Amino acid sequence: MPSRLVPVLLTMAVAGCDDPGEPAAKLVMTPALPVPAATATATTSATAESRPRPMPKTTADCFDVADDWLPRRDSQETGLDGEAIDALIAGAEAAQSDALIVIANDHVVVDRRFGQPLGPIESLSLTKSVVALAILALVADGDIASLDTPLSHYFPEFQAPAKAAVTLRHVLQHSSGLQHDHDDADGLNAQRDRLAFVRQLPVTTPPGTHYSYNNEATQLLSGVVSRAAGKPLDAYVAERLFEPLGIEAGWARDAAGTVQIYYGLRITARALATLGLLLLHEGKHRGDELLPAPLVRALWQPSPTSISTGLLFWRRSNLVLVDDATTLAPQAPGLTALAGRIFRSETELFEVLTRELPPAQQVGLAAAHRRTSLVRELDDGAVGFFAVGGLGQRLLIHPPANLVAVRQHRRRPGDDRRQRLVSYRDFHDQVEALHPALARA
C-alpha cells in the first residue's frame, strides 16, 4: 500500500436490519394548519419538493450474533443509507473480515462476524491509540503534568542535551526525532528488553520538526505510564478505563516482562466499539466522565508536522491543494489539474499523486510537502478520526454523523500474500458513504 511518496503511513440469531425486536416508533398525529385555497396546490408542491427523500432500505443481513449488547435500529431509523450499508457488508465479507460493527445514534445498525469465531483479535498498531487514552487519563488525574512534559522526567537518558527537548506530545504526534526503523519492526522485535533498547536510541532529527511513524518512540510510553501510574500499563488501563467500560482485553509482554504497546493488544470488536462510543461522547460513558472533553478533543487536533495526524489517532478531513502548490513544487506542473479536488488525508493525496503524475514530477514532492504543506483544510474541519492497525484493523469515529464503525481481521496463513485484499482499503470511503454529513465537500 505505501508508495515512495506517502508521508503518513496508516500503515446471534440471524436477522435482517429491520430487527423485529425493536418496537416501532409511536406516530403522533397533529392537526394541519388550514391552507388558503389559492395557494394550497403550490404550497403542497413546494413542501413535497423540500421534504428530504427517505434513505434507501438495506437488504443485507445486518446481524449474525446474539442481541445481548446495545439496542438495535434499522438503518433508515438512524439516517443511514441502506444501499451503502449493503455495499459495506459485502465489502467487509469480500475482504475476509472477522468482525464489522456500525453504531449510529447509540444504536447498533450492523453487528456481523461472517461465520468466524467470537473473541478477542490482535489489534496490531491500533494498540498505540488505546495507549494514548491512558496518557490522557494520567493527565486528567494530575499524575502527568501535561502533554508537554519532557521525557527526561521519566528517563535519565533523555537528560542529554540532544534528547532533552523530546516531550510526550512529540511521541504522540510521531515527531520525536528518535532513531527508528522506517520499514518494519523487526529490529525492535528482536530485542529482549524493548524499553531498555529504545531508551538508548539517539535523536537524529530535531524534535517537533518532522513527522515520521515511529514504533520505537511509542514503546517509551509503556515506561511513562508505569512510572506515572505506579503500576504496569495493562493494570492501569484495566483499572482506570476498561473495568468502568466493561472491557476485558489482553496485552503482550516482551521477554523482560514489559508491556508491549506498539502492537500486542487483543480485544474484541464490541470492546473497540465501546471505546469509540466513549470518544464520540467526548469522554463520557453512561453519564459518567472518564476523560475530560477538552483532552478527548485534543486527540484529533492536527499536529504541526502532519495535518492528518492527531495524538496517536489519525484524522479524516476535507483537504485541497494550496493555491501556490506549483510554486512550492515547480517540478510538478501536473498539480494544477488537481486543484479543487478533495482529499481525505495526506496518504490519499500522495496515492493520487503517485497514480496521476508522471514519475519525473513526483521527485521531491514529499520533501516539498515536509517544508510547507501542499494542502490546506477546508473550514468544515475534520469529518472523523480513527485508529488503525495492520491487516485492516480499524476504529472509526465520525462525530458529524454520530457514528462509530469497527472492522477486524484475524491473521491467517497467507495474509502476507493477500495484504491488499485483507487490509480493506475501501473501508473508510464505504463508511463515509453511509451518511450525508460525511460526503466530500
Side-chain angles (χ1 to χ4, degrees), residues 75-88:
S75 61
Q76 282 188 315
E77 294 178 283
T78 54
L80 302 186
D81 186 321
E83 292 178 352
I85 289 281
D86 292 345
L88 176 66

Side-chain angles (χ1 to χ4, degrees), residues 205-370:
T205 305
T209 61
H210 292 92
Y211 166 90
S212 188
Y213 190 87
N214 196 321
N215 286 311
E216 285 81 352
T218 53
Q219 182 59 24
L220 290 166
L221 298 178
S222 185
V224 170
V225 172
S226 65
R227 286 160 174 74
K231 61 189 68 174
L233 181 142
D234 54 350
Y236 174 74
V237 172
E239 177 184 303
R240 181 62 172 78
L241 295 172
F242 284 2
E243 290 175 7
L245 293 168
I247 290 175
E248 294 183 0
W251 299 77
R253 290 174 177 264
D254 64 18
T258 303
V259 179
Q260 183 172 286
I261 65 170
Y262 59 100
Y263 75 92
L265 175 65
R266 292 180 53 80
I267 193 168
T268 67
R270 287 182 172 182
L272 279 180
T274 299
L275 289 173
L277 288 171
L278 175 71
L279 299 177
L280 181 68
H281 296 305
E282 297 192 329
K284 289 188 176 180
H285 175 67
R286 297 177 180 173
D288 295 329
E289 183 180 270
L290 296 185
L291 295 170
L295 282 176
V296 174
R297 288 194 289 269
L299 286 175
W300 65 85
Q301 298 307 306
S303 82
T305 56
S306 169
I307 200 169
S308 296
T309 305
L311 301 176
L312 294 184
F313 275 80
W314 312 98
R315 309 175 73 245
R316 297 280 287 181
S317 57
N318 291 316
L319 304 176
V320 295
L321 288 173
V322 295
D323 294 338
D324 59 345
T326 53
T327 301
L328 297 173
Q331 77 276 21
L335 291 174
T336 303
L338 300 176
R341 185 183 297 194
I342 299 294
F343 308 97
R344 278 285 155 92
S345 68
E346 290 164 297
T347 295
E348 181 181 312
L349 164 70
F350 277 83
E351 287 174 346
V352 170
L353 296 181
T354 300
R355 186 171 62 246
E356 299 190 16
L357 292 185
Q361 293 191 29
Q362 297 175 26
V363 175
L365 279 181
H369 181 67
R370 282 195 297 270

Side-chain angles (χ1 to χ4, degrees), residues 181-225:
D181 193 325
H182 292 265
D183 297 322
D184 53 45
D186 290 350
L188 184 55
N189 290 338
Q191 305 302 316
R192 180 184 180 277
D193 187 334
R194 292 160 188 172
L195 178 58
F197 171 73
V198 298
R199 287 173 58 173
Q200 303 297 328
L201 292 174
V203 167
T204 57
T205 305
T209 61
H210 292 92
Y211 166 90
S212 188
Y213 190 87
N214 196 321
N215 286 311
E216 285 81 352
T218 53
Q219 182 59 24
L220 290 166
L221 298 178
S222 185
V224 170
V225 172

Side-chain angles (χ1 to χ4, degrees), residues 382-401:
V383 298
F385 61 108
F386 64 99
V388 59
L391 302 177
Q393 323 303 332
R394 295 286 192 279
L395 167 61
L396 278 56
I397 301 102
H398 286 289

